[in-house]
Amino acid sequence: MQLGTRWTSGSTPPSAVPASLHAQIAAVETSLPADQFGQPAPRWTLTWLEGRPVVELDTGIIVTLDRSGEAVVTHHEHEQFSDRDYSGQD
């Protein structure tokens, strides 16, 4: 059993977060809209699904590894930020 963890976006991911996800997490964070109302930064949650890490931001953005081990960014379609590209790729 692997335990998950939570951390605030913009801070260094905990050691439990695989390094293979760090670049995509950073790309997502740089793509987030600036907060103009003083709200707390969204938080990431690390969980494990069938042995693979799944990192989800409170906004519904998900960073995980595909079958080949590449980090991929997806989102929950019902979330408010779903129409933005958070992969860091143009």
Side-chain angles (χ1 to χ4, degrees):
M1 177 181 196
Q2 293 175 294
L3 297 177
T5 189
R6 285 183 56 80
W7 74 99
T8 302
S9 61
S11 62
T12 302
S15 61
V17 178
S20 55
L21 297 178
H22 289 201
Q24 285 295 357
I25 290 169
V28 167
E29 290 178 350
T30 59
S31 299
L32 291 173
D35 174 35
Q36 300 177 11
F37 302 106
Q39 297 296 310
R43 293 180 52 85
W44 290 101
T45 302
L46 167 67
T47 56
W48 297 86
L49 180 62
E50 297 179 357
R52 281 194 257 172
V54 178
V55 179
E56 183 172 355
L57 195 59
D58 290 341
T59 61
I61 299 168
I62 300 167
V63 180
T64 191
L65 297 177
D66 64 14
R67 293 187 189 273
S68 67
E70 294 292 319
V72 293
V73 178
T74 59
H75 61 272
H76 288 295
E77 291 186 21
H78 66 276
E79 296 294 339
Q80 63 183 353
F81 299 114
S82 64
D83 59 344
R84 291 192 54 150
D85 178 9
Y86 293 98
S87 67
Q89 302 170 3
D90 294 331

